[in-house]
């Protein structure tokens, strides 16, 4: 039997003040960022001008909002955090995965678009370090959920969420190692770098999409496990989880937009082009390469 509208309204009426406050603060951050970029930095445009750069702070605000709301959701509705095999240890898992494989991973993707005038070598190092931090935090999150399952005699790796998550994590590790080998360490032939670069970019965005899809599966799984009978009554726990899902989607869309538009692409620097030509001449003995 379906829930009546009156019961749905009662569910909304039980919405705690601190959860509503979280939503208000998150929206306030987005609005203030919009006003800041609009009033003091020329507004917004889609013409390759400096106004397009103003999309980057909005990406950061959305990413941070995802991390904060995940922390509030697990802390306020699911007992906080611990490392003792209890449900509080499980709560470490979603927080670490959103922080690592969504926020830090998205930041690592954006560094080539944000730091447009920095040395490419420095940007490569920052790109690799952010990915390393995402990897370490993600490992903590994966260990937390496996330890929780083992402690409570819950089977591992049976759900679609766990399959997609493990596939994403393994591909992320492979992508990071191949990126180190091809782009950060010297000695790789320029022809190999040029061949692998489009694959690196494609799989980077594909894995961000996989991370977001896995998060959405995890949010739905958590809500159905914990509030299956009250979810349809607009339970505050469910509303907060749904809001988190929408913010994750918005973050992914903005990151994908910034990365795929040529107008945001980092312009080539003459000294880097000259060094790249010299490197290819030494290693392959022929003409000018395409800069990665």
């Amino acid at each position: 039997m379906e829930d009546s509208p009156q019961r749905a309204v009662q569910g909304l009426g039980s919405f705690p003040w601190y959860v509503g406050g979280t939503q208000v603060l998150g929206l306030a951050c987005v609005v203030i960022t919009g006003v800041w970029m609009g009033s003091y930095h020329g507004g917004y445009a889609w013409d390759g001008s400096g106004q397009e750069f103003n999309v980057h702070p909005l990406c950061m605000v959305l990413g941070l909002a995802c991390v904060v709301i995940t922390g509030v959701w697990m802390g306020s509705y699911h007992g906080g955090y611990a490392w003792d095999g209890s449900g509080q240890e499980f709560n470490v898992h979603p927080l670490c995965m959103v922080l690592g494989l969504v926020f830090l991973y998205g930041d690592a993707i954006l560094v080539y678009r944000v730091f447009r005038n920095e040395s490419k070598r420095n940007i490569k190092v920052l790109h690799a370090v952010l990915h390393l931090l995402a990897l370490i935090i993600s490992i903590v999150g994966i260990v937390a959920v496996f330890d929780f399952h083992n402690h409570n005699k819950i089977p591992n790796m049976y759900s679609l969420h766990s399959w997609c998550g493990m596939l994403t994590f393994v591909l992320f590790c492979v992508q990071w190692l191949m990126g180190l080998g091809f782009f950060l360490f010297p000695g790789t032939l320029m022809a190999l770098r040029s061949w692998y670069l489009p694959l690196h970019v494609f799989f980077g965005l594909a894995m961000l999409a996989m991370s977001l899809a896995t998060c959405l599966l995890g949010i739905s799984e958590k809500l159905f496990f914990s509030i299956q009978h009250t979810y349809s009554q607009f339970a505050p726990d469910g509303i907060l989880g749904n809001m988190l899902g929408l913010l994750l989607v918005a973050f992914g869309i903005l990151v994908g937009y910034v990365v795929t538009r040529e107008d945001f692409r980092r312009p080539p620097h003459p000294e880097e082009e000259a060094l790249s030509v010299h490197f290819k001449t030494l290693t392959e003995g022929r003409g000018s390469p395409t800069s990665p």
Side-chain angles (χ1 to χ4, degrees):
M1 182 177 179
E2 293 185 357
D3 298 311
S4 66
Q6 183 177 2
R7 291 182 66 188
V9 172
Q10 288 175 354
L12 284 173
S14 64
F15 203 70
W17 67 268
Y18 49 83
V19 176
T22 302
Q23 303 304 310
V24 171
L25 286 175
L27 288 174
C29 290
V30 176
V31 170
I32 290 173
T33 303
V35 172
W36 179 35
M37 294 294 106
S39 299
Y40 294 97
H41 297 279
Y44 303 90
W46 312 110
D47 55 3
S49 64
Q51 284 80 0
E52 285 204 19
F53 182 81
N54 296 339
V55 178
H56 298 143
L58 186 58
C59 290
M60 297 300 98
V61 169
L62 284 174
L64 283 172
C66 291
V67 175
V68 170
I69 290 177
T70 303
V72 171
W73 185 31
M74 293 296 105
S76 297
Y77 286 99
H78 298 280
Y81 304 91
W83 199 273
D84 55 5
S86 66
Q88 286 75 23
E89 182 174 355
F90 174 87
N91 295 343
V92 176
H93 171 71
L95 181 61
C96 286
M97 303 318 285
V98 170
L99 177 59
L101 285 185
V102 175
F103 179 63
L104 288 176
Y105 187 31
D107 285 351
I109 291 175
L110 289 175
V111 293
Y112 283 98
R113 301 300 188 259
V114 175
F115 301 104
R116 298 163 62 88
N117 298 312
E118 297 296 326
S119 164
K120 181 176 284 189
R121 177 76 178 184
N122 293 338
I123 299 176
K124 286 181 179 181
V125 172
L126 178 60
H127 183 72
V129 168
L130 286 174
H131 275 133
L132 178 60
L133 291 174
L135 176 62
I136 293 171
I137 293 172
S138 301
I139 290 173
V140 174
I142 291 175
V143 171
V145 72
F146 272 93
D147 189 56
F148 166 74
H149 279 197
N150 294 335
H151 188 271
N152 293 276
K153 305 298 188 294
I154 300 173
N156 291 307
M157 300 299 299
Y158 66 89
S159 67
L160 178 61
H161 166 70
S162 61
W163 287 21
C164 290
M166 188 56 66
L167 177 62
T168 302
F169 178 74
V170 170
L171 290 176
F172 173 79
C173 293
V174 173
Q175 171 91 338
W176 184 70
L177 291 173
M178 292 187 70
L180 286 180
F182 276 95
F183 300 120
L184 193 59
F185 295 120
T188 305
L189 294 178
M190 193 61 64
L192 288 177
R193 291 186 179 184
S194 299
W195 168 80
Y196 179 64
L197 179 61
L199 296 176
H200 187 73
V201 173
F202 169 77
F203 282 108
L205 285 176
M207 280 182 284
L208 178 61
M210 291 173 65
S211 296
L212 293 169
T214 303
C215 287
L216 296 181
L217 287 171
I219 290 170
S220 296
E221 188 177 285
K222 179 64 176 176
L223 290 174
F224 280 113
F225 281 162
S226 59
I227 58 167
Q228 181 178 2
H229 301 294
T230 59
Y231 193 13
S232 62
Q233 301 172 28
F234 295 93
D237 189 359
I239 292 175
L240 191 59
N242 290 346
M243 289 293 297
L244 173 59
L246 291 178
L247 286 174
L248 288 168
V249 171
F251 177 73
I253 290 173
L254 274 181
V255 172
Y257 174 81
V258 171
V259 172
T260 54
R261 280 187 64 91
E262 286 296 321
D263 296 333
F264 284 96
R265 192 177 182 86
R266 183 177 181 273
H269 293 192
E271 65 276 11
E272 293 173 354
E273 290 294 313
L275 182 61
S276 183
V277 171
H278 179 63
F279 175 77
K280 183 168 183 177
T281 302
L282 290 176
T283 57
E284 301 180 20
R286 55 181 186 273
S288 174
T290 301
S291 177

